[in-house]
Structure formats: C-alpha cells, structure tokens
C-alpha cells in the first residue's frame, strides 16, 4: 500500500483480477506464490503433472508429502495458496492444455503467465492471447538461464501502446524450435535460484499489469544467466511485424492444429505412441548424448532405445515418433515425450 501507485485503487484492482498460470513447475510455483500474496483475487492453475521428489529442489509450493502421495501439481498448488490466503478463489485444473480447451481458459482471465516447459504450448497460448485480446507474460528457464517478455499484441490498443511496439511471440520467434533441438530441465538440469528469478520477474510484470501500472512494465525481451552472471534487455519497440502470421494476418495455426491426435494407445502392449508436433528429421546421436543423464540409451536398429526411472521405456524413431512403454495413459506419455525430446 505504501509503494507509490499501489494504494487503495490498485489493491482493489488486484483483488478483482483473474490470472491464469499455465504450468505449475518451478516458474509457476514462484509466480503463483507472489500473485497470491499480492492479493490477486482469482487464480486458475493448469498443470497435467504430479509432484515428484526431484521437483522439490526448486518447486517452492510443494513438500515431501506431496511427492510421496503423487499429488497433482495444480491441486497441491491450490492447497498451498488457500493456506496462504483462504479468501482467494483458486481453480485447479489437472489437464493437458490443447487447442480444444485453451480458449475456454484464456477467455476467463485478464493475464496469462507462462510456467511452461515446452515450446508448442507457448505458441498455442500466444495464438489464444492475440485472438481473445489478453496479455500474456512469457517466461522460460533451463540450466542456469532464463528469459521473459510481455506479449501485449492482443491488448496494445487497450493499453495505448502502438501495435509495432507490442510484438507477439511469433513476431520475435516466428517458428517453434524443431523437436529435439531445445534443452529441457530433464536433460540439462536447472538451477533453483535462476528459475525463481525468472518466475519472480514474470510475476512482477503481471502484477504491474493487473494493478494498472502499465507505465512500470518492462516492454523488452529480458534474459539472465547465472553462470556468467549476465543480464540483458532487448527493447521490443518496433518488433511487432505487420506480416506476422499470428498478430498481423490473424491466422491462428496453433489453435487450428489438431494437437490432440498425437498420442495413440497401443492396444494390449502397455505402451503409447507419440507423434512429433511437426515432422522433422531427428539427430538421434545428439539426442542420445542429451538423454544420458536420464538413463542408458543405446542405438538399436536405427532407433534410440532406453529405460527411464520407474519401469518406463522410451524408443525414439528418426522421424521424431516415440513409443513410451510402461503406461497406457496418453497424458503420461506426452509428458515423457516433452521432457525427453522437447516441444
Ligand atoms: Zn506477431
């Protein structure tokens, strides 16, 4: 209340605000905690995963008992938020965000916070935010580095920002990285303080937006890296592209794509096949090196085959297809695919 510009009126705006946090991993945990303590009245938390022991190094809303019981992250996060402030409204959604349900979630909120670990869902949220006119705060972290940027293309008019100074994600990064190209926290590891910094930065941007302090927003591509301790900001002024397929032409390819046909349960085999989001030639030798920290992977008959923790087995084909053995749950298989191969 004492901070200039965050007095009674701003507090009332926060209490009446609704934030959507997609992904309740480390980024999401940090952001959710700060949004709840800032008094953001309604939070919708979406995550398809359950708490595991290895999450506790960085995912600050969860405790040992959550991991032992395998509580869904969205549920565990909701419980924690309600312990912080019982007056807050919290919706926990244990769901895989897809083109089928994303618009429903995005429609109801004022701001979306990216707590994701895969690129494709970010592009899906970018489409939905632009189409439905919502603010979207991107955040991403892996290893000892992270990035954040506000995506204001959908709300530029309402905020009085020129369209050319309010790029969407695709104005800056036109295409999703190819499968197997991006590192994930499971293949590269993650430094707890780095991901907490990025989550806090993104939460700060969302709180400024919701409180009506647009003048304080950092409209830049912000990045930090705790290995060499560098931080940088790249202004987004002029980065909005009129020829952008999403915010320029308003063609929402990711919303229109049939993302849900990617998993096929293989009958009677306790296995699920996952297809890549986009056809790509996969460098299996490189992938083998990246997956070394997860288990023993060997090349066999042109496939990369290995065992993961528990009783899961993963076989990756050169075209990016994979078979996950040890489950018949498409959501579990998709999660393993995203963690190991990316996207
Ligand atoms: Zn754009």
């Amino acid at each position: 209340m004492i901070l200039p510009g965050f007095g009674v009126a701003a507090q009332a705006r926060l209490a009446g605000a609704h934030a959507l946090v997609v992904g309740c991993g480390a980024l999401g945990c940090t952001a959710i905690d700060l949004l709840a303590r800032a008094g953001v009245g309604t939070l919708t938390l979406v995550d398809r995963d359950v708490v595991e022991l290895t999450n506790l190094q960085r995912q600050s809303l969860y405790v040992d008992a959550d991991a032992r019981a395998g509580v869904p992250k969205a549920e565990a996060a909701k419980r924690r938020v309600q312990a912080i402030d019982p007056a807050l409204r919290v919706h926990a959604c244990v769901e895989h965000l897809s083109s089928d349900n994303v618009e429903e979630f995005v429609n109801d909120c004022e701001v979306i916070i990216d707590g994701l670990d895969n690129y494709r869902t970010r592009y899906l949220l970018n489409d939905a935010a632009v189409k439905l006119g919502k603010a979207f705060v991107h955040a991403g972290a892996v290893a000892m580095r992270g990035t954040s940027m506000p995506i204001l293309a959908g709300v530029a008019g309402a905020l009085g920002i020129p369209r050319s100074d309010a790029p969407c994600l695709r104005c800056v990064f036109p295409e999703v990285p190819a499968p197997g190209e991006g590192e994930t926290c499971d293949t590269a590891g993650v430094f707890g303080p780095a991901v907490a910094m990025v989550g806090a930065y993104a939460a700060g941007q969302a709180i400024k937006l919701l409180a009506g302090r647009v003048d304080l927003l950092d409209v830049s591509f912000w990045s930090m890296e705790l290995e060499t301790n560098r931080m940088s900001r790249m202004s987004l002024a002029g980065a909005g592209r009129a020829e952008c397929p999403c915010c320029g032409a308003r063609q929402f390819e990711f919303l229109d794509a049939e993302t849900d046909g990617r998993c096929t349960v293989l009958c009677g085999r306790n296995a699920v096949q996952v297809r890549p989001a986009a056809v790509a030639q996969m460098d299996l030798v490189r992938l083998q090196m990246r997956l070394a920290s997860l288990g023993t992977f060997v090349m066999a008959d042109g496939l990369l085959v290995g065992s993961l923790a528990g009783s899961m087995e993963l076989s990756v084909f050169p075209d990016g297809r994979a078979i996950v053995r040890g489950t018949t749950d498409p959501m579990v298989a998709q999660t393993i695919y995203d963690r190991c191969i990316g996207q």
Side-chain angles (χ1 to χ4, degrees):
M1 292 281 273
I2 301 168
L3 281 174
F6 287 94
V8 177
Q11 297 298 329
R13 290 186 67 143
L14 289 174
H18 184 174
L20 168 66
V21 183
V22 182
C24 300
L27 290 169
C29 278
T30 302
I32 291 162
D33 185 72
L34 289 167
L35 294 169
R37 290 175 198 276
V40 175
T42 307
L43 295 170
T44 297
L45 315 177
V46 183
D47 194 293
R48 65 187 179 193
D49 218 348
V50 298
V51 180
E52 291 173 46
L53 194 61
T54 57
N55 300 153
L56 301 185
Q57 163 250 9
R58 61 194 181 280
Q59 300 186 14
S60 57
L61 296 176
Y62 313 130
V63 295
D64 186 64
D66 296 323
R68 286 183 196 282
V71 181
K73 289 182 181 181
E75 291 290 348
K78 175 182 175 176
R79 214 178 288 164
R80 178 68 179 157
V81 168
Q82 289 185 324
I84 293 168
D85 183 351
L88 298 178
R89 282 176 300 279
V90 192
H91 309 292
C93 307
V94 186
E95 286 182 51
H96 170 63
L97 199 80
S98 71
S99 51
D100 292 335
N101 60 7
V102 65
E103 291 188 56
E104 214 174 297
F105 283 118
V106 169
N107 222 355
D108 289 342
C109 75
E110 272 176 80
V111 64
I112 309 155
I113 292 127
D114 172 1
L116 289 161
D117 57 1
N118 75 90
Y119 292 105
R120 203 165 176 90
T121 311
R122 282 192 180 114
Y123 282 74
L124 182 67
L125 279 173
N126 183 64
D127 270 6
V130 171
K131 181 177 177 188
L132 300 173
K134 307 290 179 175
F136 174 31
V137 182
H138 155 66
V142 69
M144 300 184 83
R145 63 183 183 276
T147 58
S148 180
M149 75 179 259
I151 293 161
L152 306 174
V155 290
L159 298 180
I161 301 173
R163 277 285 291 108
S164 58
D165 293 346
C168 82
L169 187 63
R170 295 194 73 184
C171 289
V172 184
F173 302 103
E175 300 301 333
V176 182
E181 286 299 303
E183 288 179 311
T184 73
C185 291
D186 290 86
T187 59
V190 61
F191 190 56
V195 73
M197 281 175 74
V198 179
Y201 200 80
Q205 297 270 68
I207 292 168
K208 288 171 180 177
L209 261 165
L210 295 175
R213 295 305 311 271
V214 177
D215 56 311
L216 301 180
L217 278 180
D218 179 5
V219 187
S220 76
F221 181 77
W222 175 86
S223 62
M224 54 78 85
E225 200 262 284
L226 292 185
E227 201 174 351
T228 53
N229 303 306
R230 287 201 189 114
M231 241 175 260
S232 72
R233 293 171 63 244
M234 198 176 71
S235 169
L236 295 177
R241 294 188 298 116
E243 70 277 19
C244 169
C246 175
C247 69
R250 296 188 70 82
Q251 287 166 356
F252 303 112
E253 291 168 23
F254 294 87
L255 282 177
D256 295 341
E258 284 179 39
T259 50
D260 275 351
R262 293 180 56 196
C263 290
T264 314
V265 179
L266 303 176
C267 289
R269 289 172 54 190
N270 193 28
V272 178
Q273 175 180 278
V274 186
R275 287 188 297 107
V279 179
Q281 202 57 32
M282 185 92 58
D283 184 344
L284 292 180
V285 175
R286 229 175 105 199
L287 187 64
Q288 181 180 18
M289 289 190 284
R290 283 185 36 220
L291 293 177
S293 60
L294 291 179
T296 309
F297 280 80
V298 294
M299 293 292 295
D301 302 325
L303 306 185
L304 181 61
V305 183
S307 309
L308 300 163
S311 52
M312 303 278 192
E313 264 181 41
L314 179 70
S315 307
V316 188
F317 296 79
D319 62 0
R321 256 179 329 115
I323 291 176
V324 182
R325 287 188 187 79
T327 183
T328 52
D329 184 342
M331 205 148 84
V332 170
Q334 180 80 58
T335 300
I336 288 174
Y337 187 96
D338 288 347
R339 280 184 187 175
C340 296
I341 299 162
Q343 274 222 24

